[in-house]
Amino acid sequence: MSFFTISLFSQKIRVIDAYTDEIIEGVTIENKKTGTKKISNCYGEVTLSVKNNLEKLLVYHKNYDTLQITTSDIDKLVLLNPRYEDLESVVLSVSRVAERKQRIPEQIEILTKKNIDYLSAQTSADLLNNIPGVRVQKSQLGGGSPVIRGMESNRVLLVVDGVRMNNAIYRQGHLQNSITVSPFVLDRTEVVFGPTSVVYGSDALGGVVHYYTKKLNYSKNLTFKNDLFYRHSTVNNEQSASISSYASQKKWASFTNVSFSKFDDLKMGKNRTHGYEDWGKVYRYSENTKDRFYENSSVNSDPNVQKNTGYHQLDILQKLMFPLHENIDIILNGQYSTTSDIPNFGKLNDEKDGDLKFSEWRYGPQERFLVSAQANFKDYKSILKNGAITLAYQNISESRINRQFGSLDRTSRFENVDVFSLNSDFYKSLTKKGDRKMYYGLELVHNKVASKAKGETLQISGNNIVGVGAMYNADTRYPDGGSTYSSAAVYTSYRQKLDNKNTLNVGIRLTSTLLTAEWDQNISVKIPNNKLSLSNTALTGSIGYIYMPVESDKISFILSKGFRSPNVDDVGKIRSKSGNLTVPNTRLRPEHLYSAEVGYAKKMLRQKNHFNINVYYTLLDDYISRFPSSEFGTTITYDGDVFENEAILANTNLGQAYIYGSTMSAFVELLKDLKSNVSLTYTKGKSYDFHQPLSSIPPLYGNVSMGIYKPKYNVALECRFSGKKKLKEYNQIEGIDNLDETPNEEGTPTWYVFNLNSNCYLLSDLRIQFQLQNIFDVYYKEFGSSLSAAGRNVSASVAYSF
């Protein structure tokens, strides 16, 4: 929304971008009555000649939405909203402030609110799976771990509304934290590919996923808007509902959302084109719960139903904005997400002595609570000219509960993380034209981790668990005496538009981290001195160059250095998986990354068709990977299992490795309403020292879609596909890629599926959507996943605004 007032004593105005505050040259302002036109100069300035304050004006530019105003609405500044079209897209995440995509050398993909509504994904993790260059791994239905450029988990940074979600216990394997951001509150999602350590610091190696919730704006008059949404899906009997309420006026704006989703057990596809008739089928399952006891596993009446995958989730969000000063807005942001217990499907299928190993293996409720206060500065003073200061607190709770068949011993482990953060991100134009900008900021983060464990010997009566007979000591997942992880950083970057064809970007960041840990009791693993302290300092930076020989072409080059300092999970974790035991490493060092990237983007045929390709090479130095360790002995008993020699692993610095690859995407408007999208991603990664494939390297994958897009309806057919990943291309030491979940004769077979998506606006405020996914009911697994992908799914949803 744009608004304007004008002093009748002045006729000179300046036209700027509503997001970036950049001046806009070549804007036409037309007097509708007289037909006279004026065009803004290189400073965005226009001098108007008007007779009264009721004359109607049209303000338009090819890259911006047309604005119709009267002269009484004009102030010294006229704000235009940009159109979201490829090179003209506004990017919010790279420098934490709004800027043009054509000025940024990094590869960026953006999902706007319109895209998000169209995709109608069940979770925010599923939403990411639709972005070119991103794959999502799943170990259970209540999860989703994004893989970007061969990296995932603690090498990919998740951010929501400017606050980093990554914390001290983000692990190296797979994470499910991305589902704790509800897709029903998202205004846009941006993915920045490659290391962005200048602005974001540690963890931002593979890329940054930045979720933005509903944007708030003031309105001239009191405004209310409510949204209702409901969706049902057949493949897991999904029931999702969301209610939103938005209100605003001159001095405040508010947004409230409550959403709930319930999922039953997921059905897999039945059409096994690869020829492996039994792959992934669930013949036996555990009926055990926290209250019910069954001595043996049960027969699954339908092996194509993945028993123990269902769960439910509740999300609540409240945002409030009000002015503190005419140039400062305060945004208060509260978010809460919680789930039911989530069965760990991958672990519940582990076998031992010819039967299932675990009678219970579930995550307790995954809770995320965030509260933040953000001060947004716009055209303020001195070094606080434009930007934001964000103060935030987060609390994350998670737990793991397991018990083996043939045992009454149940072990529970609980983790609680408190995160305090302060971000200050600003920029200042060094020239009136805005062709030189300085960005600067600081970040302070403190993590406090509490880890507890308990062992219970259950009492049973028939099939009921009636109490606890005895307690026993159990190893905590992380140091039971508590641990902390803190970081402090300052950064600055400079962007200069050398001329209409050339732009230079440089940046540098200094980060210091401190980790402390203390063990009160060592049960399975004896830690020397029971204490640990690690401090690290790193200087990172990037230099980027953009060349635009013509307005429709962009060639970019970027060299970057990133790093990741070991966190509490890297250093102090004890856990077992796939027959291996991971133990702490008290001498772990940071891993460093050096990256080179070349990108090319082009707009064609009346600027309506887009083509993008990015090619990169990444060198990892002192990269961290699981490797056999004898620091705590060659035989360790843990949770009733005995681990010896090479089955005992620790996160270890292993020298150097490389990852290279490319992502190509294209948008083609074949006819006026007939449009097509294509994307293809290729990734390879290997260690130099051990000549072993790296984990998290997906096979070739992509998608092709074609659809008819009308103002009142759209319908599109999509094909998603993935190439083969051969057995020799797997890292068989770490176990991250879940090789045991594939038909081991050849690794992961090729697959492709077809989806149909349609939207229809019955009224301006009533939208219905129909989706037919995996039309041919093909059986497949996403790379690295324990969970088989959904079979044929019919999904219907309705959205109503009032």
Side-chain angles (χ1 to χ4, degrees), residues 331-369:
I331 299 177
L332 303 180
N333 190 343
Q335 302 177 19
Y336 177 69
S337 175
T338 187
T339 67
S340 63
D341 287 353
I342 299 178
N344 186 329
F345 177 77
K347 298 292 288 186
L348 285 168
N349 281 326
D350 284 354
E351 295 185 353
K352 182 179 181 180
D353 300 329
D355 200 354
L356 298 182
K357 179 178 181 179
F358 291 103
S359 59
E360 297 179 66
W361 213 122
R362 63 183 182 274
Y363 294 99
Q366 181 174 234
E367 296 186 348
R368 180 181 68 89
F369 171 72

Side-chain angles (χ1 to χ4, degrees), residues 415-487:
E415 273 64 60
N416 187 272
V417 186
D418 293 302
V419 186
F420 304 86
S421 63
L422 172 66
N423 287 87
S424 174
D425 304 285
F426 285 87
Y427 77 93
K428 187 175 183 179
S429 294
L430 303 180
T431 61
K432 186 177 179 181
K433 292 175 63 175
D435 54 359
R436 289 195 233 170
K437 286 185 177 180
M438 182 71 73
Y439 304 82
Y440 44 90
L442 63 87
E443 180 183 63
L444 303 174
V445 182
H446 177 69
N447 291 253
K448 183 180 179 182
V449 181
S451 188
K452 298 179 180 179
K454 67 177 181 179
E456 302 170 307
T457 301
L458 305 178
Q459 290 182 326
I460 61 171
S461 175
N463 292 118
N464 295 316
I465 298 173
V466 296
V468 176
M471 304 289 291
Y472 62 89
N473 291 327
D475 288 287
T476 55
R477 183 176 175 88
Y478 302 114
D480 59 338
S483 50
T484 65
Y485 178 76
S486 304
S487 67

Side-chain angles (χ1 to χ4, degrees), residues 579 581 634-644 647-648:
L581 178 69
T634 56
T635 301
I636 297 176
T637 300
Y638 176 84
D639 273 3
D641 295 320
V642 178
F643 300 89
E644 297 181 322
I648 302 172

Side-chain angles (χ1 to χ4, degrees), residues 272-276 279 699-700 721-727 730 741-752 778-783:
R272 296 172 169 269
T273 57
H274 43 68
Y276 296 100
W279 179 31
L700 180 76
F721 58 88
S722 175
K724 178 189 298 184
K725 174 122 176 161
K726 297 179 181 178
L727 183 65
Y730 277 84
E741 299 286 354
T742 69
N744 288 345
E745 292 89 342
E746 63 170 279
T748 302
T750 298
W751 57 263
Y752 55 91
V778 172
Y779 176 85
Y780 70 102
K781 283 189 179 184
E782 291 280 6
F783 164 70

Side-chain angles (χ1 to χ4, degrees), residues 542-728:
S542 67
I543 180 168
Y545 178 77
I546 296 170
Y547 174 60
M548 299 186 69
V550 293
E551 187 180 6
S552 60
D553 286 24
K554 171 187 169 184
I555 303 170
S556 59
F557 308 88
I558 184 167
L559 298 174
S560 304
K561 179 191 176 185
F563 93 109
R564 190 179 72 82
S565 188
N567 62 18
V568 173
D569 185 272
D570 293 309
V571 173
K573 178 173 63 181
I574 304 173
R575 71 103 184 227
S576 64
K577 181 186 178 183
S578 302
N580 294 320
L581 178 69
T582 299
V583 299
N585 181 351
T586 59
R587 298 185 292 270
L588 200 61
R589 303 184 304 275
E591 53 185 357
H592 296 267
L593 176 147
Y594 304 88
S595 177
E597 180 180 347
V598 179
Y600 176 64
K602 183 175 181 61
K603 298 183 69 175
M604 303 166 287
L605 301 178
R606 304 183 307 280
Q607 310 296 302
K608 292 183 178 181
N609 299 305
H610 318 306
F611 173 80
N612 301 272
I613 186 168
N614 289 78
V615 181
Y616 64 90
Y617 177 89
T618 296
L619 175 68
L620 285 164
D621 187 31
D622 261 353
Y623 76 98
I624 297 172
S625 181
R626 291 175 195 155
F627 198 74
S629 169
S630 59
E631 182 178 357
F632 305 108
T634 56
T635 301
I636 297 176
T637 300
Y638 176 84
D639 273 3
D641 295 320
V642 178
F643 300 89
E644 297 181 322
N645 301 318
E646 292 188 354
I648 302 172
L649 306 176
N651 288 317
T652 308
N653 296 104
L654 290 185
Q656 293 185 330
Y658 64 87
I659 302 173
Y660 65 88
S662 175
T663 295
M664 179 277 293
S665 63
F667 171 82
V668 181
E669 188 174 276
L670 301 171
L671 299 171
K672 181 181 179 182
D673 299 311
L674 182 64
K675 302 173 183 179
S676 176
N677 285 282
V678 180
S679 73
L680 190 66
T681 298
Y682 174 82
T683 317
K684 286 292 180 182
K686 207 169 188 179
S687 66
Y688 276 114
D689 299 328
F690 297 91
H691 305 291
Q692 286 285 326
L694 296 183
S695 298
S696 302
I697 305 296
L700 180 76
Y701 64 88
N703 82 294
V704 179
S705 69
M706 183 176 295
I708 298 173
Y709 298 86
K710 295 276 190 178
K712 293 292 185 180
Y713 71 90
N714 57 66
V715 58
L717 181 67
E718 175 195 46
C719 175
R720 295 181 61 239
F721 58 88
S722 175
K724 178 189 298 184
K725 174 122 176 161
K726 297 179 181 178
L727 183 65
K728 66 180 181 180

